[in-house]
Amino acid sequence: WFKDNLSTAKGSPKPEDITPAWTFDGRWDPESTVGPDIIKYNIEGDSVLFYFDEHLTIIGSPELKTSTGKLLKYESGGGSNTLKFVSTSSLSKDDLKNLSLISGGKVLGTIASVKDRAASFKIN
């Protein structure tokens, strides 16, 4: 059972190709540092719903700053793939360009990893 059989394995990997991602056949990479991405969003007056490609963990009270200087405070959605942030005034698409997470909390992907995987608030 201890025989070196890499030459008969799928793709004949070299020892340096054997990574955690290879071990899990590409279905999970515990060394990944890439965080969740926004796949769509919906503006509803003074609030915005962000839909991500995985569920999220919220730590603290995250706030976002918009390119127009507005502050968006986290309201709900931790543990799901949809987060709601609220402003003190109506929002537009222009407000969501170049969002930045400011002090007050973290938004992390829930898929296990060796390091924290921070969510990206980049709108495409």
Side-chain angles (χ1 to χ4, degrees), residues 17 37 45 53 77 99 106 119-120:
D17 296 332
D37 288 317
D53 57 2
L99 289 170
K106 295 181 181 181
S120 169

Side-chain angles (χ1 to χ4, degrees), residues 107-122:
V107 180
L108 305 173
T110 59
I111 296 174
S113 184
V114 174
K115 298 188 181 216
D116 286 347
R117 295 178 315 101
S120 169
F121 284 91
K122 183 177 179 181

Side-chain angles (χ1 to χ4, degrees), residues 8-103:
T8 62
K10 180 180 171 185
S12 299
K14 297 179 182 86
E16 60 269 16
D17 296 332
I18 311 268
T19 65
W22 179 88
T23 302
F24 294 102
D25 198 23
R27 290 175 284 176
W28 177 47
D29 182 359
E31 294 181 325
S32 176
T33 57
V34 177
D37 288 317
I38 294 172
I39 53 175
K40 70 177 185 173
Y41 66 91
N42 186 27
I43 297 171
E44 299 174 349
D46 65 348
S47 65
V48 59
L49 294 172
F50 294 109
Y51 300 87
F52 286 84
D53 57 2
E54 82 175 78
H55 287 201
L56 302 154
T57 296
I58 304 298
I59 299 173
S61 301
E63 293 183 341
L64 299 172
K65 186 173 184 179
T66 72
S67 59
T68 57
K70 294 180 182 177
L71 290 180
L72 304 175
K73 294 186 179 202
Y74 167 75
E75 184 170 280
S76 62
S80 75
N81 70 332
T82 306
L83 300 183
K84 183 176 184 178
F85 281 81
V86 178
S87 175
T88 57
S89 61
S90 292
L91 296 169
S92 70
K93 285 184 179 184
D94 287 338
D95 290 319
L96 302 183
K97 295 177 183 173
N98 300 317
L99 289 170
S100 58
L101 185 64
I102 59 174
S103 63

